Amino acid sequence: MKILFLLLLIGCGASKLTAAAGETWVVKPLDHKYGPNEKNRLDRTEVYEVVASKVEVVITGYLARKSFIEISEQTAAAYTGHYYRCPPGKKPFLVRAVYAFGGTGSYMVVRHHDSVWVQHDSLGSAPMTINKSALVVNLDFVPNEAYATVSVIE
């Protein structure tokens, strides 16, 4: 079993990737050699995927030039669904996300210093395409940066 950790493919051949616009969104913190620290993982109740019918609007609009943006609770609910909730003391942010094999994986969101790091972990095999997506994340701080990475077990 191989692990392809796509932090811009450290130790893996770039030929295993197909050209895709999502690769431009893969950004790793410069101060970290490995994956996100799970000790700093945000609770899953604070992370919502933007629904499929709204993803294109979000990635070509709000997130086309910025890796994250603060939004209203009403906008967050419109992009994620009626079940969206934001607890007192937190604010919703749209955040860039990437994935390779959506059906076999899930997102993990961690606080990395004063930034947010979104990683998608999945199962799959080469060749693979990196796809753009978006999350709404409830935060009690305003991030300085947002990172997005992909980890694939082949």
Side-chain angles (χ1 to χ4, degrees), residues 8-111:
L8 297 181
L9 294 177
I10 296 172
C12 300
S15 62
K16 294 194 176 208
L17 279 179
T18 59
E23 290 178 42
T24 61
W25 278 20
V26 176
V27 179
K28 164 190 163 314
L30 297 175
D31 67 341
H32 212 280
K33 295 180 183 177
Y34 307 104
N37 185 342
E38 290 196 42
K39 290 188 316 188
N40 301 324
R41 183 181 194 148
L42 300 182
D43 192 285
R44 290 181 183 185
T45 61
E46 304 301 333
V47 179
Y48 297 82
E49 285 191 57
V50 172
V51 296
S53 62
K54 310 282 175 130
V55 167
E56 194 65 28
V57 170
V58 170
I59 65 176
T60 60
Y62 288 110
L63 298 177
R65 291 188 174 93
K66 296 181 179 185
S67 59
F68 70 93
I69 186 169
E70 186 175 339
I71 58 173
S72 69
E73 290 183 35
Q74 183 178 3
T75 301
Y79 287 138
T80 61
H82 67 280
Y83 50 84
Y84 172 78
R85 298 290 180 267
C86 186
K90 295 195 177 185
K91 297 178 183 180
F93 289 82
L94 268 175
V95 181
R96 285 181 177 179
V98 291
Y99 67 94
F101 298 96
T104 65
S106 62
Y107 287 105
M108 173 175 57
V109 180
V110 300
R111 182 172 181 165

Side-chain angles (χ1 to χ4, degrees), residues 89-147:
K90 295 195 177 185
K91 297 178 183 180
F93 289 82
L94 268 175
V95 181
R96 285 181 177 179
V98 291
Y99 67 94
F101 298 96
T104 65
S106 62
Y107 287 105
M108 173 175 57
V109 180
V110 300
R111 182 172 181 165
H112 182 74
H113 306 298
D114 288 330
S115 300
V116 173
W117 188 346
V118 176
Q119 179 165 298
H120 190 269
D121 300 309
S122 63
L123 303 172
S125 60
M128 64 189 78
T129 302
I130 306 300
N131 303 285
K132 293 178 181 179
S133 191
L135 302 177
V136 171
V137 181
N138 294 328
L139 300 172
D140 59 0
F141 69 102
V142 177
N144 291 329
E145 184 62 70
Y147 305 104

